[in-house]
């Protein structure tokens, strides 16, 4: 088994490409994951799709064959072209795949370093695959450790504080432009998680928030969660509001643009629109006094954010490096523990067999059985103590698999499937 991750993010794709690769709903994700797992070479799969990235996280038999298969299926889905996707893709195998996963979970690979949403999005993707039985053991082990790593980074650094999300970056840009936000209205389109985060930052920045969504009831429920007044409008008022309010931030999950050229009227005041959805909510629009920012256009704030967080990021990467190594040590220990266990079980079987034989032959009396067994166990424990320590130290050796196989063959030891299953996905808590 090998770990394989194929990544498309702001680092190797533009927003137009990410729009085509995006999976806007669970039905699309489910269909694609099923197609991946139809390939007998791909054992387990998790799909993470956000506004800034698409990650295919898998355990496979052959990384070379699986890479081509995954990218071919992405081509079938997106119609981008196999060669283009293959050239763009960041492909990570084994150690690299785990290091990348831990970096993603710890928000070190994000557009905004330290943003707080990615670990929740990764947990959601994990839960989805768990619920569909698309991952069983290998990926849950890796995801479980990635969440531990993310928690360690949060505890050891201040990367999770301050303006650290795409939503907060958009609001920071709007505040920078407007300067005095008192009494300035900002329109938020959508009633999902990203919109909720956007509203929090807008209120903190001093804007008056107007909320609109196709689902007015859901929008009102969201508005009611805030102590400050949120003005909820009917979706039929969208075009009117677009031409009345100077700041707009949209973050819907619509698979196509909801704001088009014909909806935009010329205005005497300046308007600033922020499209933080992928696929984009705003079509290609030209209008005087209108500035439109997409996710990628927020790069200047992101660059500033990165420079301020450079030292913290060094600490975070050191944690990721350390925990990546620890993860593989832990995996090796899972292979060693059953070997040690079965060495002792084998010894117990021999003790049982020889004691019973000795009693049948009259070499020992029934009254002495318990003491004889204790003596035998003491001898075995003393004899196996040093080999046990040596075997456990081998778990960090590159030749561990060979040594384990040799020991199992020489001593006639069984493989412990029950031990392996004790580390399956049901054992991992993902609500950390």
């Amino acid at each position: 088994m090998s770990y394989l991750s194929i990544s498309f993010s702001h680092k190797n794709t533009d927003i137009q490409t990410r729009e085509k690769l995006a999976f806007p709903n669970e039905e699309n994700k489910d269909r694609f994951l099923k197609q991946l797992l139809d390939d007998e070479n791909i054992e387990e799969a998790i799909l993470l799709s956000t506004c800034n990235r698409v990650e295919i996280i898998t355990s496979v038999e052959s990384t070379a064959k699986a890479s081509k298969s995954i990218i071919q299926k992405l081509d079938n889905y997106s119609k981008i072209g196999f060669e283009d996707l293959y050239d763009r893709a960041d492909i990570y195998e084994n150690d690299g795949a785990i290091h990348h996963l831990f970096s993603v979970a710890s928000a070190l690979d994000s557009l905004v370093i330290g943003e707080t949403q990615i670990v929740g999005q990764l947990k959601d993707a994990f839960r989805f695959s768990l619920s569909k039985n698309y991952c069983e053991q290998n990926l849950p082990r890796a995801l479980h450790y990635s969440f531990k790593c993310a928690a360690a980074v949060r505890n050891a650094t201040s990367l999770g504080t301050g303006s650290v999300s795409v939503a907060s970056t958009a609001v920071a840009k709007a505040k920078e432009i407007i300067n005095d936000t008192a009494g300035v209205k900002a329109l938020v389109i959508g009633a999902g998680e990203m919109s909720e985060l956007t509203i929090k930052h807008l209120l903190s920045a001093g804007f008056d928030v107007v909320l609109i969504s196709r689902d007015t009831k859901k929008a009102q429920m969201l508005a009611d969660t805030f102590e400050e007044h949120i003005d909820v409008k009917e979706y039929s008022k969208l075009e009117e509001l677009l031409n009345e309010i100077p700041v707009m931030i949209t973050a819907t999950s619509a698979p196509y643009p909801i704001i088009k050229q014909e909806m935009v009227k010329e205005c005497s005041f300046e308007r600033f629109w922020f499209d933080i959805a992928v696929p984009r909510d705003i079509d290609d629009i030209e209008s005087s006094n209108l500035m439109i920012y997409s996710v990628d256009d927020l790069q200047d704030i992101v660059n500033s954010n990165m420079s301020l967080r450079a030292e913290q990021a060094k600490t975070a990467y050191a944690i990721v490096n350390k925990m990546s190594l620890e993860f593989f040590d832990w995996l090796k220990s899972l292979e060693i523990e059953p070997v040690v266990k079965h060495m002792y079980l084998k010894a117990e079987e021999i003790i049982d067999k020889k004691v019973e034989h000795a009693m049948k032959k009259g070499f020992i009396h029934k009254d002495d059985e318990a003491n004889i067994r204790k003596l035998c166990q003491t001898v075995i424990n003393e004899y196996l103590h040093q080999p046990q320590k040596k075997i456990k130290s081998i778990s960090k050796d590159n030749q561990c698999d060979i040594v384990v196989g040799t020991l199992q063959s020489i001593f006639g030891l069984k493989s412990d499937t029950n031990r392996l299953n004790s580390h399956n996905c049901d054992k991992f808590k993902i609500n950390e």
Side-chain angles (χ1 to χ4, degrees), residues 210-263:
V210 179
L211 177 61
I212 193 169
S213 170
R214 289 186 186 277
D215 189 337
T216 305
K217 183 178 179 181
K218 185 178 179 181
Q220 188 60 59
M221 289 174 64
L222 173 58
D224 291 341
T225 63
F226 293 93
E227 292 183 5
E228 299 89 342
H229 173 70
I230 308 295
D231 191 5
V232 178
K233 298 291 187 182
E234 295 287 337
Y235 194 76
S236 59
K237 300 283 188 181
L238 175 59
E239 184 172 335
E240 178 183 332
L241 294 170
L242 289 174
N243 295 295
E244 290 181 351
I245 296 177
V247 175
M248 185 274 289
I249 302 178
T250 181
T252 78
S253 58
Y256 48 81
I258 61 172
I259 302 172
K260 300 180 180 180
Q261 182 72 59
E262 60 268 21
M263 300 170 66

Short mmCIF file of all heavy atoms in Angstrom, two decimals, residues 210-263:
data_model
loop_
_atom_site.label_atom_id
_atom_site.label_comp_id
_atom_site.label_asym_id
_atom_site.label_seq_id
_atom_site.Cartn_x
_atom_site.Cartn_y
_atom_site.Cartn_z
N VAL A 210 -26.48 43.71 4.86
CA VAL A 210 -27.72 43.30 4.21
C VAL A 210 -27.49 41.89 3.68
O VAL A 210 -26.50 41.63 3.00
CB VAL A 210 -28.10 44.25 3.05
CG1 VAL A 210 -29.39 43.78 2.39
CG2 VAL A 210 -28.22 45.67 3.55
N LEU A 211 -28.40 40.97 4.01
CA LEU A 211 -28.24 39.57 3.64
C LEU A 211 -29.34 39.13 2.69
O LEU A 211 -30.51 39.44 2.90
CB LEU A 211 -28.25 38.69 4.90
CG LEU A 211 -28.17 37.17 4.71
CD1 LEU A 211 -26.86 36.78 4.02
CD2 LEU A 211 -28.30 36.47 6.06
N ILE A 212 -28.93 38.39 1.66
CA ILE A 212 -29.90 37.90 0.68
C ILE A 212 -29.52 36.49 0.27
O ILE A 212 -28.33 36.16 0.18
CB ILE A 212 -29.96 38.84 -0.56
CG1 ILE A 212 -31.18 38.51 -1.42
CG2 ILE A 212 -28.69 38.79 -1.37
CD1 ILE A 212 -31.45 39.56 -2.49
N SER A 213 -30.54 35.65 0.06
CA SER A 213 -30.29 34.27 -0.33
C SER A 213 -31.53 33.74 -1.03
O SER A 213 -32.64 34.24 -0.82
CB SER A 213 -29.98 33.41 0.89
OG SER A 213 -29.97 32.04 0.57
N ARG A 214 -31.33 32.74 -1.87
CA ARG A 214 -32.50 32.09 -2.50
C ARG A 214 -33.42 31.50 -1.45
O ARG A 214 -34.63 31.44 -1.62
CB ARG A 214 -32.04 30.98 -3.46
CG ARG A 214 -31.36 31.49 -4.73
CD ARG A 214 -31.07 30.34 -5.68
NE ARG A 214 -30.30 30.78 -6.83
CZ ARG A 214 -30.81 31.35 -7.92
NH1 ARG A 214 -32.13 31.55 -7.99
NH2 ARG A 214 -30.05 31.71 -8.92
N ASP A 215 -32.82 31.05 -0.35
CA ASP A 215 -33.58 30.49 0.76
C ASP A 215 -33.71 31.58 1.84
O ASP A 215 -32.87 31.70 2.72
CB ASP A 215 -32.87 29.26 1.32
CG ASP A 215 -33.71 28.50 2.33
OD1 ASP A 215 -34.62 29.10 2.92
OD2 ASP A 215 -33.44 27.30 2.54
N THR A 216 -34.78 32.37 1.75
CA THR A 216 -34.95 33.50 2.67
C THR A 216 -35.09 33.04 4.12
O THR A 216 -34.58 33.70 5.04
CB THR A 216 -36.20 34.32 2.27
OG1 THR A 216 -36.07 34.72 0.90
CG2 THR A 216 -36.35 35.55 3.13
N LYS A 217 -35.74 31.90 4.32
CA LYS A 217 -35.92 31.37 5.67
C LYS A 217 -34.56 31.05 6.29
O LYS A 217 -34.30 31.38 7.46
CB LYS A 217 -36.79 30.12 5.63
CG LYS A 217 -37.10 29.54 7.00
CD LYS A 217 -38.01 28.33 6.90
CE LYS A 217 -38.30 27.74 8.28
NZ LYS A 217 -39.19 26.54 8.18
N LYS A 218 -33.68 30.42 5.51
CA LYS A 218 -32.35 30.09 5.99
C LYS A 218 -31.55 31.36 6.29
O LYS A 218 -30.81 31.44 7.27
CB LYS A 218 -31.62 29.22 4.96
CG LYS A 218 -30.27 28.72 5.42
CD LYS A 218 -29.63 27.82 4.36
CE LYS A 218 -28.26 27.33 4.82
NZ LYS A 218 -27.62 26.47 3.78
N ALA A 219 -31.72 32.36 5.41
CA ALA A 219 -31.02 33.64 5.61
C ALA A 219 -31.47 34.31 6.90
O ALA A 219 -30.65 34.86 7.65
CB ALA A 219 -31.28 34.56 4.42
N GLN A 220 -32.77 34.25 7.19
CA GLN A 220 -33.29 34.86 8.40
C GLN A 220 -32.77 34.12 9.64
O GLN A 220 -32.44 34.74 10.65
CB GLN A 220 -34.82 34.85 8.39
CG GLN A 220 -35.45 35.64 9.53
CD GLN A 220 -35.06 37.12 9.51
OE1 GLN A 220 -35.31 37.82 8.53
NE2 GLN A 220 -34.42 37.59 10.59
N MET A 221 -32.70 32.79 9.55
CA MET A 221 -32.17 32.00 10.66
C MET A 221 -30.72 32.37 10.93
O MET A 221 -30.30 32.48 12.09
CB MET A 221 -32.30 30.51 10.35
CG MET A 221 -33.73 29.98 10.36
SD MET A 221 -33.84 28.25 9.82
CE MET A 221 -32.90 27.43 11.11
N LEU A 222 -29.96 32.57 9.86
CA LEU A 222 -28.56 32.98 10.02
C LEU A 222 -28.49 34.36 10.65
O LEU A 222 -27.70 34.60 11.58
CB LEU A 222 -27.85 32.97 8.66
CG LEU A 222 -26.42 33.53 8.63
CD1 LEU A 222 -25.52 32.76 9.60
CD2 LEU A 222 -25.86 33.47 7.21
N ALA A 223 -29.31 35.28 10.16
CA ALA A 223 -29.32 36.65 10.70
C ALA A 223 -29.65 36.67 12.18
O ALA A 223 -29.10 37.47 12.96
CB ALA A 223 -30.32 37.51 9.92
N ASP A 224 -30.55 35.79 12.59
CA ASP A 224 -30.99 35.74 13.99
C ASP A 224 -29.90 35.25 14.95
O ASP A 224 -30.03 35.39 16.17
CB ASP A 224 -32.23 34.86 14.13
CG ASP A 224 -33.46 35.48 13.47
OD1 ASP A 224 -33.45 36.70 13.24
OD2 ASP A 224 -34.41 34.73 13.18
N THR A 225 -28.84 34.66 14.42
CA THR A 225 -27.75 34.18 15.27
C THR A 225 -26.83 35.31 15.73
O THR A 225 -26.00 35.12 16.61
CB THR A 225 -26.90 33.11 14.55
OG1 THR A 225 -26.26 33.70 13.41
CG2 THR A 225 -27.77 31.94 14.12
N PHE A 226 -26.99 36.50 15.12
CA PHE A 226 -26.15 37.64 15.47
C PHE A 226 -26.90 38.60 16.40
O PHE A 226 -28.11 38.79 16.25
CB PHE A 226 -25.71 38.39 14.21
CG PHE A 226 -24.79 37.60 13.33
CD1 PHE A 226 -25.28 36.83 12.28
CD2 PHE A 226 -23.41 37.62 13.53
CE1 PHE A 226 -24.44 36.09 11.47
CE2 PHE A 226 -22.56 36.90 12.73
CZ PHE A 226 -23.08 36.12 11.69
N GLU A 227 -26.18 39.18 17.33
CA GLU A 227 -26.79 40.17 18.22
C GLU A 227 -27.10 41.45 17.45
O GLU A 227 -28.11 42.11 17.70
CB GLU A 227 -25.84 40.47 19.38
CG GLU A 227 -25.65 39.30 20.34
CD GLU A 227 -24.77 39.67 21.52
OE1 GLU A 227 -24.39 40.87 21.62
OE2 GLU A 227 -24.46 38.79 22.34
N GLU A 228 -26.22 41.82 16.52
CA GLU A 228 -26.44 43.02 15.71
C GLU A 228 -27.55 42.77 14.68
O GLU A 228 -27.78 41.64 14.26
CB GLU A 228 -25.16 43.42 14.98
CG GLU A 228 -23.99 43.77 15.89
CD GLU A 228 -23.15 42.56 16.25
OE1 GLU A 228 -23.65 41.42 16.09
OE2 GLU A 228 -22.00 42.75 16.69
N HIS A 229 -28.20 43.83 14.26
CA HIS A 229 -29.28 43.69 13.28
C HIS A 229 -28.72 43.40 11.89
O HIS A 229 -27.82 44.08 11.41
CB HIS A 229 -30.12 44.98 13.22
CG HIS A 229 -31.14 44.96 12.12
ND1 HIS A 229 -32.25 44.14 12.16
CD2 HIS A 229 -31.21 45.66 10.94
CE1 HIS A 229 -32.96 44.32 11.07
NE2 HIS A 229 -32.36 45.23 10.32
N ILE A 230 -29.26 42.37 11.27
CA ILE A 230 -28.93 42.03 9.88
C ILE A 230 -30.20 42.21 9.06
O ILE A 230 -31.24 41.61 9.36
CB ILE A 230 -28.43 40.57 9.75
CG1 ILE A 230 -27.29 40.29 10.73
CG2 ILE A 230 -28.01 40.30 8.31
CD1 ILE A 230 -26.05 41.07 10.48
N ASP A 231 -30.14 43.01 8.03
CA ASP A 231 -31.31 43.29 7.19
C ASP A 231 -31.43 42.21 6.12
O ASP A 231 -30.63 42.14 5.19
CB ASP A 231 -31.15 44.67 6.54
CG ASP A 231 -32.44 45.14 5.87
OD1 ASP A 231 -33.47 44.44 6.01
OD2 ASP A 231 -32.41 46.19 5.20
N VAL A 232 -32.43 41.33 6.26
CA VAL A 232 -32.64 40.24 5.32
C VAL A 232 -33.63 40.67 4.24
O VAL A 232 -34.72 41.16 4.54
CB VAL A 232 -33.16 38.97 6.03
CG1 VAL A 232 -33.42 37.85 5.02
CG2 VAL A 232 -32.17 38.52 7.10
N LYS A 233 -33.24 40.48 2.99
CA LYS A 233 -34.08 40.87 1.86
C LYS A 233 -34.47 39.65 1.02
O LYS A 233 -33.77 38.65 1.00
CB LYS A 233 -33.34 41.87 0.96
CG LYS A 233 -32.97 43.18 1.65
CD LYS A 233 -34.20 44.02 1.94
CE LYS A 233 -33.80 45.41 2.46
NZ LYS A 233 -34.99 46.23 2.79
N GLU A 234 -35.61 39.78 0.31
CA GLU A 234 -36.04 38.73 -0.60
C GLU A 234 -35.08 38.64 -1.79
O GLU A 234 -34.53 39.65 -2.24
CB GLU A 234 -37.46 39.01 -1.12
CG GLU A 234 -38.54 38.99 -0.05
CD GLU A 234 -38.85 37.60 0.44
OE1 GLU A 234 -38.57 36.63 -0.32
OE2 GLU A 234 -39.34 37.46 1.58
N TYR A 235 -34.89 37.44 -2.31
CA TYR A 235 -33.94 37.24 -3.41
C TYR A 235 -34.37 38.00 -4.67
O TYR A 235 -33.53 38.36 -5.50
CB TYR A 235 -33.80 35.74 -3.72
CG TYR A 235 -32.62 35.43 -4.60
CD1 TYR A 235 -31.33 35.43 -4.07
CD2 TYR A 235 -32.77 35.15 -5.95
CE1 TYR A 235 -30.22 35.17 -4.87
CE2 TYR A 235 -31.68 34.88 -6.76
CZ TYR A 235 -30.40 34.89 -6.20
OH TYR A 235 -29.32 34.63 -7.00
N SER A 236 -35.66 38.26 -4.80
CA SER A 236 -36.15 39.00 -5.96
C SER A 236 -35.61 40.43 -5.99
O SER A 236 -35.65 41.11 -7.02
CB SER A 236 -37.68 39.02 -5.95
OG SER A 236 -38.16 39.63 -4.75
N LYS A 237 -35.07 40.89 -4.86
CA LYS A 237 -34.53 42.25 -4.77
C LYS A 237 -33.05 42.32 -5.14
O LYS A 237 -32.43 43.38 -5.04
CB LYS A 237 -34.68 42.76 -3.32
CG LYS A 237 -36.11 42.83 -2.81
CD LYS A 237 -36.84 44.04 -3.39
CE LYS A 237 -38.20 44.22 -2.73
NZ LYS A 237 -38.92 45.39 -3.30
N LEU A 238 -32.46 41.19 -5.57
CA LEU A 238 -31.02 41.14 -5.79
C LEU A 238 -30.54 42.21 -6.78
O LEU A 238 -29.60 42.97 -6.47
CB LEU A 238 -30.63 39.74 -6.31
CG LEU A 238 -29.15 39.58 -6.72
CD1 LEU A 238 -28.23 39.87 -5.54
CD2 LEU A 238 -28.91 38.19 -7.27
N GLU A 239 -31.16 42.30 -7.93
CA GLU A 239 -30.69 43.25 -8.95
C GLU A 239 -30.78 44.69 -8.42
O GLU A 239 -29.86 45.50 -8.63
CB GLU A 239 -31.52 43.11 -10.22
CG GLU A 239 -31.04 43.99 -11.36
CD GLU A 239 -31.74 43.68 -12.66
OE1 GLU A 239 -32.23 42.54 -12.85
OE2 GLU A 239 -31.82 44.59 -13.52
N GLU A 240 -31.84 44.98 -7.73
CA GLU A 240 -32.02 46.32 -7.17
C GLU A 240 -30.91 46.64 -6.16
O GLU A 240 -30.32 47.73 -6.18
CB GLU A 240 -33.39 46.40 -6.50
CG GLU A 240 -33.70 47.71 -5.83
CD GLU A 240 -35.05 47.68 -5.11
OE1 GLU A 240 -35.94 46.92 -5.54
OE2 GLU A 240 -35.19 48.42 -4.11
N LEU A 241 -30.61 45.68 -5.29
CA LEU A 241 -29.61 45.89 -4.25
C LEU A 241 -28.20 46.02 -4.84
O LEU A 241 -27.37 46.79 -4.33
CB LEU A 241 -29.64 44.72 -3.25
CG LEU A 241 -30.93 44.60 -2.41
CD1 LEU A 241 -30.95 43.29 -1.66
CD2 LEU A 241 -31.04 45.77 -1.44
N LEU A 242 -27.93 45.27 -5.91
CA LEU A 242 -26.62 45.35 -6.56
C LEU A 242 -26.31 46.75 -7.05
O LEU A 242 -25.14 47.16 -7.09
CB LEU A 242 -26.54 44.37 -7.74
CG LEU A 242 -26.48 42.88 -7.40
CD1 LEU A 242 -26.57 42.06 -8.69
CD2 LEU A 242 -25.20 42.53 -6.65
N ASN A 243 -27.34 47.47 -7.41
CA ASN A 243 -27.16 48.81 -7.96
C ASN A 243 -27.38 49.92 -6.94
O ASN A 243 -27.42 51.10 -7.29
CB ASN A 243 -28.10 48.99 -9.16
CG ASN A 243 -27.74 48.05 -10.29
OD1 ASN A 243 -26.67 48.16 -10.88
ND2 ASN A 243 -28.62 47.10 -10.60
N GLU A 244 -27.53 49.52 -5.66
CA GLU A 244 -27.74 50.50 -4.59
C GLU A 244 -26.65 50.48 -3.53
O GLU A 244 -26.40 51.49 -2.88
CB GLU A 244 -29.09 50.25 -3.90
CG GLU A 244 -30.31 50.56 -4.75
CD GLU A 244 -31.59 50.31 -3.98
OE1 GLU A 244 -31.51 49.73 -2.86
OE2 GLU A 244 -32.67 50.67 -4.48
N ILE A 245 -26.02 49.32 -3.33
CA ILE A 245 -25.09 49.12 -2.21
C ILE A 245 -23.65 49.11 -2.72
O ILE A 245 -23.33 48.44 -3.70
CB ILE A 245 -25.43 47.80 -1.48
CG1 ILE A 245 -26.83 47.90 -0.87
CG2 ILE A 245 -24.40 47.49 -0.40
CD1 ILE A 245 -27.31 46.64 -0.18
N PRO A 246 -22.76 49.83 -2.04
CA PRO A 246 -21.38 49.99 -2.55
C PRO A 246 -20.47 48.77 -2.40
O PRO A 246 -19.56 48.59 -3.18
CB PRO A 246 -20.85 51.17 -1.74
CG PRO A 246 -21.64 51.15 -0.48
CD PRO A 246 -23.01 50.69 -0.86
N VAL A 247 -20.75 47.94 -1.38
CA VAL A 247 -19.89 46.77 -1.14
C VAL A 247 -20.73 45.50 -1.20
O VAL A 247 -21.82 45.44 -0.63
CB VAL A 247 -19.19 46.86 0.24
CG1 VAL A 247 -18.40 45.58 0.54
CG2 VAL A 247 -18.27 48.07 0.30
N MET A 248 -20.24 44.52 -1.92
CA MET A 248 -20.95 43.25 -2.02
C MET A 248 -19.94 42.11 -1.94
O MET A 248 -18.89 42.14 -2.58
CB MET A 248 -21.74 43.17 -3.32
CG MET A 248 -22.62 41.90 -3.44
SD MET A 248 -21.73 40.49 -4.11
CE MET A 248 -21.55 41.00 -5.82
N ILE A 249 -20.26 41.09 -1.14
CA ILE A 249 -19.45 39.88 -1.05
C ILE A 249 -20.37 38.68 -1.28
O ILE A 249 -21.37 38.52 -0.59
CB ILE A 249 -18.75 39.75 0.32
CG1 ILE A 249 -17.86 40.96 0.58
CG2 ILE A 249 -17.91 38.47 0.39
CD1 ILE A 249 -17.16 40.95 1.93
N THR A 250 -20.04 37.88 -2.26
CA THR A 250 -20.88 36.74 -2.60
C THR A 250 -20.13 35.44 -2.41
O THR A 250 -18.96 35.32 -2.77
CB THR A 250 -21.43 36.86 -4.04
OG1 THR A 250 -22.27 35.73 -4.31
CG2 THR A 250 -20.31 36.94 -5.07
N ALA A 251 -20.81 34.46 -1.82
CA ALA A 251 -20.18 33.17 -1.50
C ALA A 251 -21.21 32.06 -1.56
O ALA A 251 -21.46 31.36 -0.58
CB ALA A 251 -19.53 33.22 -0.13
N THR A 252 -21.87 31.91 -2.71
CA THR A 252 -22.87 30.85 -2.85
C THR A 252 -22.21 29.59 -3.41
O THR A 252 -21.05 29.59 -3.81
CB THR A 252 -24.02 31.27 -3.78
OG1 THR A 252 -23.59 31.16 -5.14
CG2 THR A 252 -24.48 32.69 -3.48
N SER A 253 -22.97 28.51 -3.44
CA SER A 253 -22.48 27.26 -4.03
C SER A 253 -23.09 27.01 -5.40
O SER A 253 -23.11 25.89 -5.89
CB SER A 253 -22.80 26.08 -3.09
OG SER A 253 -24.20 26.01 -2.86
N ALA A 254 -23.59 28.07 -6.02
CA ALA A 254 -24.20 27.94 -7.35
C ALA A 254 -23.16 27.44 -8.36
O ALA A 254 -22.02 27.88 -8.34
CB ALA A 254 -24.76 29.28 -7.80
N PRO A 255 -23.55 26.52 -9.25
CA PRO A 255 -22.60 25.98 -10.22
C PRO A 255 -22.37 26.89 -11.42
O PRO A 255 -21.60 26.55 -12.32
CB PRO A 255 -23.27 24.67 -10.65
CG PRO A 255 -24.73 24.93 -10.49
CD PRO A 255 -24.86 25.84 -9.30
N TYR A 256 -23.02 28.05 -11.42
CA TYR A 256 -22.91 28.98 -12.55
C TYR A 256 -23.03 30.40 -12.01
O TYR A 256 -23.50 30.63 -10.89
CB TYR A 256 -24.05 28.72 -13.56
CG TYR A 256 -25.41 28.60 -12.91
CD1 TYR A 256 -26.14 29.75 -12.55
CD2 TYR A 256 -25.95 27.36 -12.61
CE1 TYR A 256 -27.35 29.66 -11.93
CE2 TYR A 256 -27.19 27.26 -11.98
CZ TYR A 256 -27.88 28.41 -11.64
OH TYR A 256 -29.10 28.30 -11.02
N PRO A 257 -22.61 31.41 -12.79
CA PRO A 257 -22.70 32.79 -12.31
C PRO A 257 -24.15 33.22 -12.06
O PRO A 257 -25.03 32.97 -12.89
CB PRO A 257 -22.09 33.60 -13.46
CG PRO A 257 -21.21 32.63 -14.18
CD PRO A 257 -21.91 31.31 -14.09
N ILE A 258 -24.38 33.87 -10.93
CA ILE A 258 -25.72 34.35 -10.61
C ILE A 258 -25.85 35.86 -10.88
O ILE A 258 -26.94 36.40 -10.89
CB ILE A 258 -26.08 34.06 -9.15
CG1 ILE A 258 -25.11 34.76 -8.19
CG2 ILE A 258 -26.11 32.56 -8.89
CD1 ILE A 258 -25.51 34.68 -6.73
N ILE A 259 -24.71 36.52 -11.11
CA ILE A 259 -24.71 37.96 -11.38
C ILE A 259 -24.15 38.18 -12.79
O ILE A 259 -22.98 37.86 -13.04
CB ILE A 259 -23.88 38.73 -10.34
CG1 ILE A 259 -24.45 38.46 -8.94
CG2 ILE A 259 -23.88 40.23 -10.65
CD1 ILE A 259 -23.59 39.00 -7.82
N LYS A 260 -24.97 38.70 -13.67
CA LYS A 260 -24.58 38.82 -15.07
C LYS A 260 -24.63 40.27 -15.54
O LYS A 260 -25.18 41.14 -14.86
CB LYS A 260 -25.49 37.94 -15.94
CG LYS A 260 -25.40 36.46 -15.54
CD LYS A 260 -26.30 35.59 -16.41
CE LYS A 260 -26.17 34.12 -16.00
NZ LYS A 260 -27.03 33.25 -16.83
N GLN A 261 -24.08 40.51 -16.71
CA GLN A 261 -23.93 41.87 -17.25
C GLN A 261 -25.25 42.63 -17.28
O GLN A 261 -25.31 43.80 -16.91
CB GLN A 261 -23.34 41.79 -18.66
CG GLN A 261 -23.09 43.14 -19.32
CD GLN A 261 -21.93 43.90 -18.71
OE1 GLN A 261 -20.81 43.42 -18.70
NE2 GLN A 261 -22.19 45.10 -18.18
N GLU A 262 -26.32 41.96 -17.71
CA GLU A 262 -27.60 42.66 -17.88
C GLU A 262 -28.21 43.11 -16.55
O GLU A 262 -29.14 43.93 -16.53
CB GLU A 262 -28.60 41.78 -18.64
CG GLU A 262 -28.94 40.46 -17.98
CD GLU A 262 -28.03 39.32 -18.44
OE1 GLU A 262 -26.92 39.61 -18.96
OE2 GLU A 262 -28.45 38.15 -18.31
N MET A 263 -27.71 42.60 -15.44
CA MET A 263 -28.23 43.00 -14.13
C MET A 263 -27.58 44.27 -13.61
O MET A 263 -28.06 44.87 -12.64
CB MET A 263 -28.00 41.86 -13.11
CG MET A 263 -28.67 40.54 -13.48
SD MET A 263 -28.14 39.17 -12.41
CE MET A 263 -28.83 39.67 -10.83
#
